[in-house]
Amino acid sequence: MADLFAGFEPAAPPDDTLAADAPLADRLRPRRLDEVVGQEHLTGPEGAIGRMVAAGRLSSMILWGPPGTGKTTIARLLADAVGLRFAPISAVFSGVADLKKAFAEARDHARAGKRTLLFVDEIHRFNRAQQDGFLPYVENGTVTLVGATTENPSFELNAALLSRAQVLILHRLDRAALEKLLDRAEAEMGRPLPLTPAARDALVASADGDGRFLLNQAETLFSVDIGEPLDPAGLSAFLQRRVAVYDKDREGHYNLISALHKSVRGSDPQAALYYLARMLTAGEEPLYALRRLTRMAIEDIGMADPQALPQCIAAKDAYELLGSPEGELAIVQACLYLATAPKSNASYMAMKGAWQAARETGSLMPPANILNAPTKLMKEVGYGKGYEYDHDAAEAFSGANYWPEGMTPQRFYEPTARGYEKRVAERLAWWDERRREKNP
């Protein structure tokens, strides 16, 4: 996994093991937690990690965030900060035998008075059985588990493992953090990057929050003799990568994507097309624009027009098939479709409400009548008893209760009266009336 290694001062690690020709990102490896950029909400005095380090005691945790944001670095520095042995493994290259060996070594070190921080990179790649294998060693303190993942832990990790670990979210590095990394790189190399101010801005924007990627690009620029500073077009040609160009006001792609999003949300296809053109003609990555359009389809249109999301996915497929410039017409079509579609954030608000309720209600059991009963014992204790098969009911609707005992039925999704959702609202109202008739 790509990771961020950057320090305040240009200096070799304490053991002086890094060669002068080591990668720039490795030479700038942080030596203290307060040298990690962009994650102050976690590593600062009031952050979860900062408080644990101050107390001198770590709990197991899952570090969730995009590539290049410092997950591996933070784990290594955490071990140093509280005096734990650091033992890294990768779920990509490790299996059951590797895990058994890691746990055995941790147990041996624990007997000698040295506890272990077991860092598991790409932890979501372990299957359910392998994840279950961590539980006894985490519970008895043999290891303090620090897992790293780029995937949503709620979907990729076992509930049992999540209940024993705190999920900490790392942010994609913002412009200020990326600028700080470039400053450190220039200090380490003893000279500025051979870029005009506009090209330097374009380089930062092209990293899309990935610090490791940014430092690798900077190292490429430092590795050759460039006479005159490169402008954005020259930088794009040199790196063989499209990077965003900024106009005379140096308005960045973050401003432009915000303007595009709000124009789509406001149903102004002309303005939306203008901002999309600004981004693409300036050299913005087309797939970045498509990712943001897809988010708009989900957040701002949703069920008001369920075809909005397939339009965006089809546009991505068409662009990947055709390439530029022909494929960019598919992006335009998706943008216009979204801007002219009926709008609803009902799905977005429903998700927020449901997630909040799930956090507050914990592990309430569903009612027994809707539980699966594959064994005789489960049937004997009432699983599945009284279940009404909806397809056998009139109108294929039984009106049964599906909520846990002790929990009042909630309303998370409130469809609007716009577009397809108007029909959905009518259907929900009809079902609600049938439920009231059955359960007055």
Side-chain angles (χ1 to χ4, degrees):
M1 178 192 297
D3 189 34
L4 169 63
F5 303 113
F8 276 127
E9 301 297 336
D15 59 5
D16 293 321
T17 56
L18 286 180
D21 60 351
L24 178 61
D26 289 339
R27 281 181 278 153
L28 295 177
R29 184 192 302 272
R31 296 163 64 180
R32 300 190 311 273
L33 278 168
D34 61 7
E35 296 177 358
V36 177
V37 301
Q39 310 303 337
E40 290 79 8
H41 65 293
L42 296 177
T43 60
E46 300 303 317
I49 289 175
R51 291 197 301 270
M52 282 189 273
V53 171
R57 186 173 181 81
L58 298 182
S59 61
S60 291
M61 66 187 77
I62 303 297
L63 302 177
W64 173 27
T69 51
K71 295 183 289 294
T72 303
T73 295
I74 288 175
R76 187 182 300 275
L77 295 176
L78 271 174
D80 293 340
V82 297
L84 297 183
R85 167 179 168 265
F86 183 72
I89 62 172
S90 170
V92 177
F93 302 109
S94 302
V96 173
D98 301 288
L99 288 176
K100 288 182 177 178
K101 180 181 178 182
F103 293 136
E105 291 177 350
R107 190 165 48 242
D108 292 341
H109 282 277
R111 290 176 182 145
K114 186 71 169 179
R115 296 186 61 210
T116 296
L117 185 154
L118 179 64
F119 174 67
V120 184
D121 199 8
E122 304 272 18
I123 191 171
H124 61 276
R125 292 181 179 268
F126 278 134
N127 62 36
R128 187 170 296 273
Q130 290 168 322
Q131 291 179 29
D132 284 341
F134 287 97
L135 300 179
Y137 301 98
V138 172
E139 288 180 338
N140 65 22
T142 300
V143 299
T144 297
L145 174 66
V146 177
T149 179
T150 56
E151 304 296 328
N152 189 329
S154 298
F155 303 134
E156 303 296 337
L157 300 183
N158 290 358
L161 186 58
L162 284 177
S163 70
R164 293 162 174 80
Q166 184 176 1
V167 176
L168 302 179
I169 301 174
L170 280 75
H171 294 163
R172 185 174 294 277
L173 299 188
D174 61 16
R175 175 172 291 276
L178 294 171
E179 290 278 7
K180 187 177 291 187
L181 292 185
L182 285 188
D183 291 342
R184 294 177 183 177
E186 291 172 329
E188 168 69 19
M189 299 303 296
R191 64 184 191 275
L193 283 163
L195 302 173
T196 65
R200 197 176 194 273
D201 285 344
L203 179 65
V204 169
S206 74
D208 198 21
D210 187 330
R212 182 80 187 207
F213 173 83
L214 179 68
L215 291 178
N216 288 342
Q217 296 288 70
E219 185 167 29
T220 300
L221 290 164
F222 280 128
S223 68
V224 297
D225 184 18
I226 298 175
E228 294 294 323
L230 299 174
D231 61 11
L235 174 65
S236 179
F238 178 79
L239 295 177
Q240 293 298 299
R241 177 182 174 86
R242 301 179 68 181
V243 293
V245 180
Y246 295 83
D247 62 15
K248 61 183 179 181
D249 295 324
R250 297 172 69 180
E251 187 176 29
H253 79 162
Y254 296 110
N255 289 337
L256 290 178
I257 195 61
S258 177
L260 173 60
H261 195 150
K262 290 177 174 63
S263 299
V264 168
R265 180 183 293 155
S267 300
D268 189 333
Q270 317 306 336
L273 189 56
Y274 166 72
Y275 288 118
L276 178 66
R278 283 276 301 276
M279 294 173 67
L280 295 182
T281 59
E284 186 62 79
E285 285 287 345
L287 287 176
Y288 172 79
L290 276 166
R291 285 196 298 272
R292 301 317 305 166
L293 288 169
T294 303
R295 169 68 186 193
M296 298 172 209
I298 299 168
E299 179 180 342
D300 295 298
I301 297 169
M303 288 285 289
D305 186 346
Q307 287 303 309
L309 179 57
Q311 280 280 334
C312 291
I313 302 303
K316 179 189 77 72
D317 292 343
Y319 176 78
E320 290 179 338
L321 178 66
L322 296 174
S324 292
E326 292 88 350
E328 290 175 3
L329 183 57
I331 305 176
V332 169
Q333 178 175 321
C335 177
L336 292 175
Y337 191 99
L338 300 187
T340 56
K343 303 302 187 295
S344 170
N345 71 343
S347 297
Y348 176 63
M349 299 304 294
M351 174 183 170
K352 292 176 66 175
W355 263 237
Q356 180 65 27
R359 286 190 291 267
E360 292 174 351
T361 55
S363 303
L364 292 178
M365 280 285 288
N369 66 301
I370 63 171
L371 296 179
N372 191 33
T375 69
K376 180 179 179 181
L377 175 61
M378 295 167 79
K379 292 177 182 177
E380 290 175 349
V381 299
Y383 281 27
K385 184 177 181 180
Y387 172 63
E388 299 180 69
Y389 187 57
D390 283 78
H391 294 289
D392 289 340
E395 304 286 349
F397 179 74
S398 69
N401 172 54
Y402 298 101
W403 291 88
E405 184 177 349
M407 182 177 178
T408 303
Q410 306 287 307
R411 289 190 70 86
F412 304 121
Y413 177 51
E414 293 286 358
T416 68
R418 297 182 292 276
Y420 178 76
E421 274 195 320
K422 182 177 180 181
R423 294 165 56 191
V424 174
E426 294 169 352
R427 194 178 307 138
L428 291 182
W430 187 88
W431 283 333
D432 288 343
E433 182 61 29
R434 302 290 83 73
R435 286 193 180 94
R436 284 191 292 270
E437 291 173 358
K438 180 170 182 177
N439 305 293

